[in-house]
Amino acid sequence: MSTHSSLRSIILASNNPGKVREIQGLLAAYGIEVCPQAAFDIGEAEETAPTFVENAILKARHASRQSGMAAIADDSGIEVDALNGAPGIRSARFAGPKASDRENIERLLEALARVAEPARTARFRCVIVLLRHAEDPSPVIAEGTWEGRIARESRGGRGFGYDPVFVPAGRECTAAELEPGEKNRLSHRGQALRLLAERIRSAL
Ligand code: IMP
């Protein structure tokens, strides 16, 4: 896959509506159109690898193989220092295999119930990869991190996942209280996507 136009339309290996919204919004600004894999009837790949980058590659390869298109996948999660980096790559499944965002947040707040303010530090991490085709031997890889701390209770109705309990460094509000544009400007995913978009453009 080497021409400019062939990379304009890319399959997105995620069915998480919150992520799809953020990724489509950010890449549209670069003239890159992404279409979620659900639109092609492609199911999610199992995230069996131990690192964000390997899981992202695994998901992108699955989507690219099934669709025959270039594919983007992200793998992301939250690392909490008082929990030695957990839930990390298991963020989506922290409270169980089919846990809801609310259940994951409840489990996190319980785990941190006795942890005092200065020790409630955490960060979101995001790794995004682009595979130009399923056998692409040199994926384009971009990463972002977003530092903050875990609040004592949920606040705000925007965003998804752990946003209602994540207070970005230097702020008092949670990520779920930020305007979407502001979240994109600061977030781990926003940083990774801007880097990826720059790298895609310079690779064309
Ligand atoms: P995965 O990348 O599909 O394995 O899922 C990552 C999980 O990390 C999500 O389901 C959320 O629980 C959490 N997560 C990742 N990025 C964010 C974010 O921007 N806000 C809130 N939670 C997030």
Side-chain angles (χ1 to χ4, degrees):
M1 188 101 27
S2 60
T3 66
H4 192 275
S5 60
S6 57
L7 269 178
R8 292 278 125 173
S9 186
I10 302 176
I11 190 163
L12 174 58
S14 174
N15 295 329
N16 176 328
K19 276 192 190 177
V20 170
R21 218 173 27 242
E22 288 186 6
I23 294 173
Q24 281 178 326
L26 274 152
L27 289 180
Y30 290 85
I32 298 168
E33 185 200 345
V34 287
C35 190
Q37 63 185 6
F40 295 81
D41 252 357
I42 298 172
E44 300 213 328
E46 267 199 71
E47 295 176 33
T48 48
T51 64
F52 290 118
V53 65
E54 288 168 287
N55 277 323
I57 290 173
L58 200 140
K59 289 191 264 188
R61 190 178 291 127
H62 173 76
S64 183
R65 192 166 281 149
Q66 300 286 312
S67 65
M69 292 165 67
I72 283 180
D74 94 322
D75 200 43
S76 54
I78 191 161
E79 291 176 357
V80 178
D81 293 324
L83 304 178
N84 295 321
I89 59 159
R90 290 185 191 81
S91 295
R93 308 175 293 279
F94 191 39
K98 297 220 183 306
S100 66
D101 287 345
R102 199 172 49 78
E103 289 164 336
N104 284 330
I105 286 177
E106 273 169 19
R107 171 143 192 230
L108 181 62
L109 292 181
E110 267 169 39
L112 295 180
R114 288 169 202 279
V115 178
E117 230 46 58
R120 297 176 73 92
T121 47
R123 71 206 49 77
F124 280 121
R125 274 191 201 281
C126 177
V127 177
I128 307 217
V129 305
L130 166 75
L131 289 187
R132 284 153 279 220
H133 56 84
E135 313 305 327
D136 189 346
S138 55
V140 183
I141 299 174
E143 298 182 48
T145 57
W146 195 17
E147 297 287 336
R149 63 191 158 80
I150 305 299
R152 291 216 166 257
E153 55 189 21
S154 290
R155 286 195 324 260
R158 299 194 177 105
F160 68 98
Y162 296 89
D163 281 342
V165 290
F166 183 77
V167 179
R171 302 283 176 132
E172 293 305 320
C173 66
T174 67
E177 294 174 307
L178 294 175
E179 297 286 345
E182 178 76 340
K183 181 181 172 191
N184 284 341
R185 203 171 61 73
L186 301 171
S187 80
H188 51 314
R189 189 165 299 100
Q191 295 171 39
L193 278 165
R194 283 187 290 273
L195 265 178
L196 185 87
E198 293 301 334
R199 288 181 188 160
I200 292 174
R201 289 210 297 203
S202 58
L204 291 173

